[in-house]
Amino acid sequence: MKKIYLSLVAGAGLLFSQASTTLAQGDYPTLSQVNQRLQALSGSGSPAKLTSLTKTEGGKDIWVLKVGRGDMDNKPGIAVVGGVEGFHVLSVELALQFAEKLVKDHASKLDNTTFYIFPNMSPDAYEQYHASLKYERRGNAAKVDHDRDGQVSEDGYEDLNEDGFITMMRVESPMGDYMPLDKDPRILVKADRSKGQKGSYMIYPESRDKDKDGQFGEDLTEGIAFNKSLTYKFPIFQPLAGDFAASQVETRAMLDYLFDQWNIFSIVTFSPANNLSSPLKYNPADARKRILTSMLDKDVAINSMVSSIYNETISQKAYNQTNQGTDGDFFQWAYFHFGRLSFGTPGWWAPEAKDADGKPLGNPEANFLAWAEQEGMNDVFVPWTAIEHPDLPGQKVEVGGIKPFVMYNPPFSKEAEIAEEHTNFILKLADMQPKLEFHNVKTEKLSNGLTRITADLFNNSPLPTHSQLGERSRWLRKIRVDISKDQKDLVAGEKIQLIRSVGAFEKTTLSWVVRGSGSVDIKAGAAHAGFATLNVKL
């Protein structure tokens, strides 16, 4: 629990300076503003169709924006997902601006690719950014007994210093596990006892122990977190995960929708999980387990290639981006349980700052505070202030820490450049989609009115038609090859052939012997890989 809530101290409740964007707004949009922009995108004559998949426990719409032209379900597709974490408000803006830029400035991409944009999978939690009490909320509006004591939400956060922010509280104690960081004593880190370090503080989220069980903030006034409730490595019995995987209507509605979209070849998720600025590593032992916990080797190679394109496209250089997936998250589900190429990025992180000696600070919180100071952002930290805590009489208790939201969401003035660069990256990914073509077509006249047809089916793309995991999956469709001749006129070769996969810039040779004259039509492909057609005169 301590690790969970330590990660929740990052944030921003302050108003950022007025941004010069097409939206002419100075802060991240409210949920109402997000909905208005989505409605505007899907007006009459627009290539974008807006659909509400369901409503959350809090009555909020879960939107999907389908953008494309023509036979959209039989063109390779990319899903773009924002709001998998409610406190990551930047992710919603990046997904939304991608949709706006796609419709306005890049409509030509829709000739070959279909886009499915899920701008906000956590609308109940997203609202907390604009609430009078600001904290990094993850869960929806479901009523949940997180600590399983028979009472619902009796130990949530409490604004003990009445500043409008939920930060942390530290309790001075010789039994504590935490100590001040040498380079910035405002930050507390766990003492390393193997190095002889001794803790001097216990830390908790800003809250009370109303049920008198010795724990603080363990039964929050929020429900299930979307990004902790997916089926891959579901974290059973953990707070915010739920009693079983995909327990919430918004999760089931999204997964049902995705499983109906056979044409999706890749998913880009804006989330804390990151395999773009820092690609995943291959672990042979984990890849041989019955339940895989490592990407397969060929997919790791693809990840590395796409990562290099991302780092060439995005001007900001990654700092300390080590979160490459957490139990029950969407980013890992998209690969391990959906079989698609899955790419994740937080979109932004505080750039590396250095100490007075020019050395990296080595701690994400200290790095953020140093960077914020360099940027003139002086209102991102609540100084540690002593309070009288009703549940800890006679003990020295202080409330303070980094404000909610600031570590995951940059000042809104930086958002326009971030959105432009990530739009460019997604469009480059679309340009890399599988592309099947017929080459080296030959016909050879044989005796007795027979003709041999040979052709190479070539994938003219740096991506294979299937991820390595998708190739092994029984769900992802294989490449299907059809020839128009009836079976009785096929002397050799099959009327319908299934091909497991065609690699990047690789070919597979097809051959038939047919009886008769006229012409033959051949079609090869799958919705997620596109289709190639061929007319052969006999």
Side-chain angles (χ1 to χ4, degrees):
M1 290 293 294
K2 291 180 181 177
K3 289 183 179 178
I4 293 172
Y5 289 113
L6 272 174
S7 68
L8 297 181
V9 299
L14 63 159
L15 284 175
F16 298 117
S17 59
Q18 181 73 20
S20 177
T21 71
T22 56
L23 305 175
Q25 63 188 58
D27 200 3
Y28 291 94
T30 63
L31 204 57
S32 175
Q33 290 171 329
V34 169
N35 292 342
Q36 290 171 10
R37 288 163 63 185
L38 287 169
Q39 296 286 353
L41 270 172
S42 58
S44 177
S46 171
K49 178 184 178 183
L50 184 65
T51 303
S52 175
L53 298 181
T54 189
K55 289 185 181 292
T56 66
E57 284 282 339
K60 312 298 190 304
D61 286 292
I62 296 295
W63 298 109
V64 60
L65 196 70
K66 183 177 181 179
V67 189
R69 290 201 194 100
D71 189 2
M72 290 188 282
D73 292 336
N74 283 308
K75 296 177 182 178
I78 294 178
V80 178
V81 184
V84 298
E85 292 286 5
F87 58 81
H88 193 199
V89 294
L90 170 67
S91 68
V92 176
E93 184 65 20
L94 292 182
L96 185 53
Q97 283 217 31
F98 170 72
E100 291 170 336
K101 293 175 186 297
L102 180 64
V103 171
K104 179 183 177 182
D105 302 324
H106 304 284
S108 62
K109 297 292 183 181
L110 305 180
D111 293 334
N112 300 311
T113 311
T114 302
F115 296 88
Y116 302 87
I117 301 161
F118 301 82
N120 191 355
M121 292 308 301
S122 306
D124 291 344
Y126 180 91
E127 280 198 314
Q128 206 67 45
Y129 177 82
H130 290 284
S132 58
L133 180 62
K134 300 184 185 299
Y135 61 89
E136 290 179 351
R137 179 173 166 180
R138 300 183 68 191
N140 63 9
K143 304 298 183 183
V144 180
D145 177 14
H146 291 295
D147 60 353
R148 302 174 185 269
D149 65 353
Q151 302 180 66
V152 175
S153 302
E154 83 282 2
D155 261 352
Y157 299 131
E158 188 157 334
D159 188 8
L160 298 170
N161 62 349
E162 299 182 346
D163 65 349
F165 303 103
I166 295 299
T167 51
M168 301 297 291
M169 58 185 192
R170 66 184 188 183
V171 183
E172 193 171 282
S173 171
M175 297 181 292
D177 292 327
Y178 290 84
M179 54 182 279
L181 180 69
D182 287 341
K183 292 186 176 182
D184 190 337
R186 293 175 295 177
I187 303 298
L188 296 180
V189 294
K190 198 160 189 177
D192 187 345
R193 294 184 180 176
S194 68
K195 297 179 179 178
Q197 295 176 349
K198 184 181 185 304
S200 55
Y201 290 98
M202 295 184 291
I203 61 172
Y204 307 99
E206 189 178 355
S207 57
R208 290 190 56 188
D209 180 17
K210 294 181 180 179
D211 59 1
K212 306 304 179 184
D213 63 354
Q215 300 185 62
F216 293 86
E218 81 280 9
D219 198 2
L220 301 177
T221 310
E222 58 186 276
I224 305 304
F226 172 80
N227 209 37
K228 200 176 181 180
S229 62
L230 277 295
T231 55
Y232 178 71
K233 296 176 70 176
F234 173 67
I236 191 168
F237 298 134
Q238 289 191 21
L240 301 176
D243 291 333
F244 55 90
S247 62
Q248 303 302 290
V249 292
E250 58 264 39
T251 308
R252 295 194 299 273
M254 182 203 201
L255 300 193
D256 286 346
Y257 183 89
L258 288 174
F259 276 120
D260 283 338
Q261 305 306 316
W262 296 98
N263 60 326
I264 293 174
F265 75 92
S266 181
I267 295 180
V268 176
T269 307
F270 292 116
S271 77
N274 170 41
N275 71 335
L276 281 174
S277 68
S278 302
L280 295 176
K281 306 295 184 184
Y282 175 60
N283 186 315
D286 289 344
R288 288 194 294 267
K289 291 179 179 178
R290 185 176 67 86
I291 298 177
L292 296 177
T293 55
S294 169
M295 288 179 68
L296 302 180
D297 55 344
K298 292 181 181 178
D299 294 333
V300 168
I302 294 171
N303 187 178
S304 180
M305 175 190 67
V306 175
S307 173
S308 66
I309 294 171
Y310 178 85
N311 287 323
E312 291 169 0
T313 307
I314 307 303
S315 58
Q316 185 184 1
K317 302 309 174 188
Y319 167 71
N320 201 34
Q321 289 296 299
T322 57
N323 180 355
Q324 297 191 325
T326 53
D327 290 356
D329 71 359
F330 178 78
F331 159 73
Q332 292 185 97
W333 175 88
Y335 175 75
F336 288 102
H337 281 184
F338 196 47
R340 270 51 168 195
L341 297 173
S342 178
F343 303 107
T345 175
W348 175 87
W349 43 86
E352 184 177 68
K354 297 182 180 179
D355 62 17
D357 297 325
K359 296 179 180 179
L361 292 163
N363 175 277
E365 288 83 8
N367 181 82
F368 169 75
L369 290 176
W371 171 79
E373 184 177 353
Q374 293 171 7
E375 293 286 305
M377 297 166 56
N378 300 316
D379 193 22
V380 297
F381 190 88
V382 176
W384 292 106
T385 305
I387 63 164
E388 293 293 330
H389 198 293
D391 302 314
L392 299 167
Q395 299 187 60
K396 184 179 179 181
V397 181
E398 298 171 290
V399 170
I402 297 175
K403 287 185 177 181
F405 301 109
V406 289
M407 278 189 68
Y408 294 102
N409 305 285
F412 195 77
S413 58
K414 298 182 181 295
E415 158 278 331
E417 180 183 2
I418 296 170
E420 181 70 26
E421 291 183 346
H422 282 83
T423 294
N424 292 339
F425 164 72
I426 297 173
L427 296 178
K428 287 181 181 180
L429 182 62
D431 289 339
M432 296 167 62
Q433 69 189 35
K435 184 180 180 182
L436 295 175
E437 302 171 348
F438 281 111
H439 291 275
N440 301 323
V441 181
K442 298 178 182 178
T443 58
E444 180 183 359
K445 291 293 185 180
L446 306 177
S447 59
N448 300 318
L450 301 179
T451 304
R452 177 182 289 114
I453 304 171
T454 58
D456 290 333
L457 181 63
F458 177 63
N459 176 23
N460 191 8
S461 166
L463 296 180
T465 59
H466 298 64
S467 68
Q468 188 179 0
L469 184 59
E471 183 181 342
R472 289 170 46 170
S473 170
R474 296 184 179 182
W475 184 258
L476 198 59
R477 287 176 171 170
K478 299 175 181 177
I479 301 299
R480 172 171 166 159
V481 184
D482 292 82
I483 187 168
S484 61
K485 276 290 186 180
D486 293 333
Q487 190 66 51
K488 62 183 178 62
D489 293 324
L490 284 174
V491 177
E494 299 294 331
K495 181 174 177 59
I496 299 174
Q497 300 181 49
L498 296 179
I499 302 171
R500 291 174 61 90
S501 177
V502 184
F505 301 119
E506 292 185 357
K507 67 172 184 174
T508 183
T509 300
L510 304 167
S511 179
W512 299 266
V513 174
V514 300
R515 179 185 293 111
S517 58
S519 64
V520 171
D521 290 317
I522 301 171
K523 181 180 180 180
H528 70 278
F531 292 89
T533 58
L534 180 65
N535 178 267
V536 181
K537 297 187 181 299
L538 300 177

